[in-house]
Amino acid sequence: MSDYNFAYLDEQTKRMIRRAILKGLAVPGYQVPFASREMPMPYGWGTGGVQVSAATLTPEDTLKVIDQGADDTTNAVSIRKFFENTAGVATTEETEKASVIQTRHRIPEAELSEDQILVYQVPIPEPLRFLEPRETETRKMHALQEYGLMHVKLYEDISQHGAIATSYAYPVKVAGRYVTDPSPIPKFDNPKMNMAAIQLFGAGREQRIYAVPPYTEVVSLDFEDFPFEASKADHPCDLCAAEDSYLDEVILDDAGNRMFVCSDTDYCRSRRDAGHMGRLSEEAA
Amino acid sequence: MTAQTSNSHFSGGFRDPAIQSSHVFRAAMTAMARPGEIKPITGATPPEGLSIAAGCLLLTLCDPETSLYLAPDVDHPAVRDWITFHTGAPFVPAQDADFAVGGWAALTPFDRFRIGTSEYPDRSATLIVELPSFDAPNAELSGPGIKTRAEITLPDIEVLQANAALFPLGFDTYFTAASDICALPRSSRIEPLLMKEG
């Protein structure tokens, strides 16, 4: 291990973050202000998630970091290395083997268990921010459960596009009380938020932490006549033939050819290892 | 547990604070996320009057930035000196406290603890309540963190039901017995456990 304190942050900072996490768990979906620190990475690269992970990790943990579902992108690799260096924890790419999973903008396809913790990186934690820029006002709106504006926004989607066009960061109501930003996960992932694992959310630049305890009711906002729909590209994965996973679209050439591939790289790899073949498996091999 | 009484208040802290507090916090976080679940925590040896669990929680969560209220039954010079040396937390009256420690009866009345404001419900007290044991469950919990139902040993169901009714305001509670903790956040709905007949 290195000369850093365990998991990089000093103990007093970790205590401050830990107290915020506990209040976040006690009031599910409510954004707890915290004194976010400068981290050795730029805002937008997961400084909030990194601070929450640092306060949560123990030396025995196995950490997995994903960026849009992938274990091998720059952001995921650098955060994984950061904690290998500063906390000396084991790391993995396999969802089932991880005890703490830090994620940017996806929930893994494999169902998470009670012993796992999912840490989200959050850019804008306030779901009402683009409707009302003033923090003083959004605080009052949450206090009074004044969420009509959000329904107006979803209604305007329907009036303009014929359907609710919001496709990511789709607002949810947690435990019947707070309207909460699920971070920019695709709305395909929203139903998975009713899970057995502990969900923690960290927004570094915006200095907010919030949480969803296990088995907490998380409802995506909708209307009776326009019910919420967890949509994805209507395609099987071209590498593993999965019909049930969220897909990325990849442009292959200038002639308009494209492929769809699982966004969750670990899920796709484990299916291919198990012998599943997609449309383009032959070429990829 | 009482072996350290002859030692000074300099002893009994974490030997490896970064690692031991990470373990205690993980247990405390899991307990708060799963109300009613009992978790063991160890590492601290507080002076007589405080349980190991309460001592561990104080060392992990308190520092000069958190105000602390000691109920009369734990407010001894040895306890004060130990907490001051190891955490630096300032002692304050109950109505100003971020954390409060003591037995249930000694912490009464409960309407003096901070419950947060409607805009900042997090600005509320966390109580650390010492219990003799957890082996007589008398209430059933449901709500966030609980799959179906969870049983819990509570010292006074009515007071805690009134606190839960304040949601999203209210205080949050850790119960401690020897080296075990169990949490009751304000979000849990509480029903008396019906005694099984025969």
Side-chain angles (χ1 to χ4, degrees):
Chain A
M1 209 158 99
S2 64
D3 295 320
Y4 291 104
N5 187 37
F6 174 71
Y8 185 76
L9 294 171
D10 61 280
E11 288 305 298
Q12 190 157 347
T13 298
K14 278 195 260 176
R15 278 191 294 271
M16 175 270 296
I17 295 170
R18 286 167 176 167
R19 292 191 294 260
I21 291 173
L22 294 181
K23 286 298 173 193
L25 285 165
V27 191
Y30 165 74
Q31 304 162 52
V32 185
F34 81 111
S36 176
R37 301 295 196 246
E38 296 236 359
M39 297 302 284
M41 61 192 72
Y43 287 132
W45 285 66
T47 54
V50 164
Q51 291 178 77
V52 169
S53 293
T56 306
L57 282 172
T58 67
E60 294 76 26
D61 275 315
T62 304
L63 178 72
K64 170 184 165 87
V65 186
I66 53 173
D67 173 6
Q68 302 269 17
D71 291 276
D72 52 3
T73 58
T74 314
N75 199 186
V77 171
S78 52
I79 291 173
R80 200 160 57 229
K81 286 221 180 309
F82 176 77
F83 282 117
E84 280 173 7
N85 288 335
T86 61
V89 292
T91 56
T92 183
E93 295 193 359
E94 291 175 54
T95 304
E96 290 80 6
K97 289 187 179 162
S99 53
V100 177
I101 303 173
Q102 183 173 331
T103 175
R104 173 178 175 272
H105 306 185
R106 269 316 306 279
I107 296 174
E109 303 291 352
E111 194 174 330
L112 301 185
S113 72
E114 283 201 357
D115 301 321
Q116 292 177 306
I117 296 168
L118 186 59
V119 179
Y120 295 75
Q121 303 171 199
V122 183
I124 307 287
E126 177 52 74
L128 305 168
R129 181 61 68 233
F130 292 111
L131 307 172
E132 169 52 63
R134 288 167 296 181
E135 172 71 9
T136 48
E137 288 302 304
T138 52
R139 269 205 180 267
K140 281 203 193 83
M141 291 161 79
H142 282 295
L144 300 170
Q145 278 189 279
E146 178 50 69
Y147 294 132
L149 206 54
M150 184 58 89
H151 281 101
V152 171
K153 184 219 176 232
L154 296 175
Y155 169 74
E156 284 182 350
D157 265 12
I158 294 170
S159 64
Q160 285 178 25
H161 307 288
I164 298 177
T166 306
S167 58
Y168 65 95
Y170 191 105
V172 294
K173 195 170 216 182
V174 176
R177 178 58 180 81
Y178 284 96
V179 165
T180 303
D181 183 278
S183 88
I185 57 173
K187 69 176 172 182
F188 174 79
D189 282 343
N190 275 24
K192 292 190 216 158
M193 292 181 76
N194 293 286
M195 65 165 72
I198 299 172
Q199 299 174 79
L200 305 175
F201 298 76
R205 179 185 47 215
E206 303 293 321
Q207 312 197 317
R208 296 289 185 275
I209 285 171
Y210 52 105
V212 177
Y215 308 115
T216 301
E217 183 190 47
V218 179
V219 178
S220 303
L221 300 182
D222 62 359
F223 300 99
E224 277 176 20
D225 48 347
F226 282 87
F228 171 81
E229 213 177 327
S231 61
K232 65 183 270 286
D234 189 14
H235 243 270
C237 171
D238 282 333
L239 294 182
C240 76
E243 306 255 5
D244 57 353
S245 75
Y246 189 74
L247 302 172
D248 287 337
E249 183 179 359
V250 183
I251 306 293
L252 295 176
D253 54 28
D254 290 345
N257 285 315
R258 55 198 179 148
M259 69 184 290
F260 290 92
V261 56
C262 291
S263 128
D264 185 335
T265 51
D266 174 59
Y267 183 73
C268 197
R269 183 197 46 74
S270 62
R271 279 181 56 86
R272 274 178 280 140
D273 289 351
H276 294 280
M277 304 265 278
R279 181 175 66 96
L280 299 173
S281 291
E282 303 283 306
E283 294 170 40
Chain B
M1 182 172 149
T2 55
Q4 291 290 322
T5 45
S6 58
N7 290 1
S8 77
H9 58 268
F10 302 125
S11 64
F14 288 146
R15 277 185 317 278
D16 191 352
I19 305 302
Q20 286 177 301
S21 61
S22 79
H23 288 136
V24 171
F25 173 69
R26 178 63 76 81
M29 181 182 88
T30 310
M32 191 59 88
R34 306 187 202 287
E37 200 168 299
I38 295 167
K39 291 270 168 194
I41 53 175
T42 52
T45 317
E48 195 166 9
L50 278 184
S51 66
I52 291 176
C56 289
L57 282 178
L58 290 173
L59 293 191
T60 303
L61 297 175
C62 292
D63 56 31
E65 294 175 359
T66 57
S67 51
L68 180 62
Y69 168 72
L70 294 183
D73 63 334
V74 295
D75 193 355
H76 311 304
V79 172
R80 279 193 171 234
D81 288 349
W82 187 80
I83 291 172
T84 300
F85 177 74
H86 289 284
T87 73
F91 297 106
V92 296
Q95 63 270 19
D96 300 327
D98 295 316
F99 289 87
V101 192
W104 182 257
L107 286 166
T108 326
F110 288 87
D111 56 5
R112 20 180 213 162
F113 294 108
R114 293 162 65 207
I115 56 169
T117 66
S118 56
E119 291 179 20
Y120 291 94
D122 56 303
R123 295 180 181 173
S124 56
T126 303
L127 310 187
I128 299 172
V129 179
E130 300 266 35
L131 293 183
S133 76
F134 294 142
D135 51 15
N138 58 349
E140 206 171 44
L141 304 179
S142 59
I146 301 161
K147 192 171 186 182
T148 48
R149 306 245 140 198
E151 290 187 357
I152 190 169
T153 306
L154 297 180
D156 185 332
I157 293 176
E158 276 179 29
V159 167
L160 291 163
Q161 277 177 326
N163 179 60
L166 297 171
F167 184 87
L169 305 188
F171 54 80
D172 307 302
T173 311
Y174 277 110
F175 296 104
T176 53
S179 62
D180 287 334
I181 60 166
C182 170
L184 179 71
R186 65 191 88 169
S187 59
S188 293
R189 289 178 287 277
I190 306 165
E191 297 288 336
L193 194 61
L194 300 173
M195 291 301 151
K196 291 187 184 73
E197 285 174 38

Short mmCIF file of all heavy atoms in Angstrom, two decimals, chain B residues 10 28 35 105 185:
data_model
loop_
_atom_site.label_atom_id
_atom_site.label_comp_id
_atom_site.label_asym_id
_atom_site.label_seq_id
_atom_site.Cartn_x
_atom_site.Cartn_y
_atom_site.Cartn_z
N PHE B 10 -6.68 7.98 28.49
CA PHE B 10 -5.91 7.93 27.24
C PHE B 10 -6.01 6.57 26.55
O PHE B 10 -5.73 6.44 25.38
CB PHE B 10 -4.43 8.24 27.51
CG PHE B 10 -4.22 9.57 28.16
CD1 PHE B 10 -3.51 9.67 29.33
CD2 PHE B 10 -4.73 10.72 27.58
CE1 PHE B 10 -3.31 10.90 29.93
CE2 PHE B 10 -4.54 11.96 28.18
CZ PHE B 10 -3.83 12.05 29.36
N ALA B 28 -22.37 0.15 11.03
CA ALA B 28 -23.37 1.15 11.40
C ALA B 28 -24.22 1.54 10.20
O ALA B 28 -25.43 1.75 10.32
CB ALA B 28 -22.68 2.38 11.98
N PRO B 35 -33.10 -1.52 9.10
CA PRO B 35 -33.56 -1.32 10.48
C PRO B 35 -33.91 -2.64 11.16
O PRO B 35 -34.49 -3.52 10.53
CB PRO B 35 -34.81 -0.45 10.30
CG PRO B 35 -34.60 0.24 8.99
CD PRO B 35 -33.85 -0.72 8.13
N ALA B 105 -34.35 5.88 29.91
CA ALA B 105 -35.02 6.69 30.93
C ALA B 105 -34.26 8.01 31.12
O ALA B 105 -34.87 9.07 31.29
CB ALA B 105 -35.10 5.91 32.24
N PRO B 185 -34.14 4.11 12.07
CA PRO B 185 -34.27 5.43 11.46
C PRO B 185 -35.71 5.90 11.57
O PRO B 185 -36.62 5.10 11.81
CB PRO B 185 -33.89 5.17 10.00
CG PRO B 185 -34.19 3.74 9.77
CD PRO B 185 -33.99 3.04 11.09
#
